[in-house]
Amino acid sequence: MTRRYFIAGNWKMHNNTTETKELLTAMKQNFQNINDSEVMVAPSFTSLQTAKEILEGTQIIIASQDCHSEDKGAFTSAVSCPQLKEFVSHVILGHSERRSVFGDTDIVINKKLKATLAHQLVPVLCIGETLQERESNKTLEILKAQLDGGLAGFEEKDLETLIIAYEPVWAIGTGKTASPQQAQETHEQVRKHLADMYSQEFADKTRILYGGSVKPENVDELMGQTDIDGALVGGKSLEAESFLRIINFKK
Ligand code: PGA
């Protein structure tokens, strides 16, 4: 089963529209994609219109970093899928910062997933354990609970577009990366759980990205692992040159 690589940049709360324009223009001018990966960027809501204008006519996908589960209503500050659909085709859900800073639970994430799919947006569902959970041998238990909770109520046929991002919380923004072997082992376990939840065929075709301090120096080895199908990149997606090098990883 071949899974097309997927390289994504999560900009978090960085870049105003001028900076967005500069970064995407630099990326676009030097864009090459030797691996034929799918490439995605997720700017802040305020930069989505600018990103759309600049990336028009390119293959680069635009995503939002979150969405609300309702279509409209009295939800001050929130942004809904019908609103996002004007700009994006993909939505990141359940990022660890959404979970830890904003209190998104698996139940909330599950509702957001439902909205995302109802509006034909592609979900990138993030899962990951904290350092304490890893050290007390709870990694698998946590990841299974996040998958079971996040995907509750969905059938295999609903999840054809689903992308999973495994991001160990202790590796996000810390400069610490899971070793390629550690990441591979966990990805294999995640895939096995998807097979148990749905089917082997589903598990084999679902892409599982790795995230957590991915950089030019470690991307080649990470992407060389059998069950790693791409990367969700934070810090290094804010530098055109680094992100382009990551897109053009060498296996
Ligand atoms: P990082 O962030 O690459 O800066 O560690 C990854 C993420 O949060 O998606």
Side-chain angles (χ1 to χ4, degrees):
M1 169 82 56
T2 49
R3 295 180 292 266
R4 192 171 173 205
Y5 280 101
F6 193 98
I7 306 290
N10 170 17
W11 288 9
K12 309 191 180 187
M13 198 172 67
H14 292 285
N15 292 337
N16 61 21
T17 55
T18 308
E19 290 157 340
T20 297
K21 203 169 174 179
E22 274 165 20
L23 178 54
L24 290 180
T25 304
M27 258 188 65
K28 193 166 99 167
Q29 274 163 358
N30 298 295
F31 187 71
Q32 35 139 227
N33 188 358
I34 59 171
N35 299 304
D36 190 35
S37 310
E38 280 191 271
V39 176
M40 178 185 105
V41 290
S44 297
F45 294 134
T46 49
S47 282
L48 291 177
Q49 171 67 28
T50 304
K52 187 180 164 185
E53 282 163 18
I54 295 182
L55 296 178
E56 183 107 63
T58 73
Q59 301 284 316
I60 302 173
I61 294 165
I62 306 173
S64 64
Q65 299 170 15
D66 188 37
C67 69
H68 194 271
S69 54
E70 297 296 324
D71 281 0
K72 59 182 171 186
F75 301 102
T76 300
S77 90
V79 183
S80 73
C81 289
Q83 292 174 316
L84 288 167
K85 231 182 129 101
E86 292 189 319
F87 310 99
V88 310
S89 56
H90 291 48
V91 180
I92 298 175
L93 293 173
H95 188 277
S96 75
E97 287 144 24
R98 288 291 324 168
R99 292 176 189 264
S100 65
V101 183
F102 300 97
D104 281 14
T105 60
D106 289 321
I107 294 171
V108 168
I109 294 161
N110 182 257
K111 285 188 187 153
K112 292 181 175 184
L113 179 63
K114 194 167 178 193
T116 302
L117 292 170
H119 291 283
Q120 289 85 42
L121 292 161
V122 176
V124 180
L125 174 65
C126 304
I127 57 172
E129 83 288 0
T130 62
L131 185 58
Q132 203 194 5
E133 288 159 350
R134 177 161 282 265
E135 285 176 344
S136 46
N137 283 325
K138 289 208 174 117
T139 301
L140 195 52
E141 188 187 315
I142 296 294
L143 299 179
K144 280 184 180 176
Q146 290 174 342
L147 287 171
D148 293 347
L151 300 178
F154 292 102
E155 293 177 32
E156 182 172 332
K157 66 170 174 34
D158 305 321
L159 300 174
E160 272 183 3
T161 59
L162 175 73
I163 297 170
I164 304 278
Y166 166 59
E167 300 205 299
V169 178
W170 47 273
I172 297 177
T174 56
K176 277 191 208 164
T177 325
S179 70
Q181 295 70 25
Q182 246 174 348
Q184 164 57 27
E185 193 191 336
T186 313
H187 278 231
E188 209 178 315
Q189 290 167 334
V190 168
R191 203 177 298 287
K192 164 130 196 351
H193 190 60
L194 292 176
D196 292 343
M197 289 175 79
Y198 298 104
S199 68
Q200 191 60 49
E201 195 196 354
F202 176 77
D204 285 342
K205 71 166 207 254
T206 302
R207 287 173 292 183
I208 307 175
L209 319 181
Y210 170 79
S213 299
V214 175
K215 46 193 163 201
E217 297 78 23
N218 61 21
V219 67
D220 298 344
E221 219 190 330
L222 285 163
M223 294 309 123
Q225 308 299 314
T226 326
D227 286 291
I228 300 185
D229 308 314
L232 182 54
V233 186
K236 293 293 168 189
S237 71
L238 298 170
E239 301 164 8
E241 203 182 318
S242 298
F243 194 53
L244 288 166
R245 172 62 183 84
I246 291 170
I247 292 164
N248 291 302
F249 63 87
K250 299 181 182 77
K251 278 189 284 168

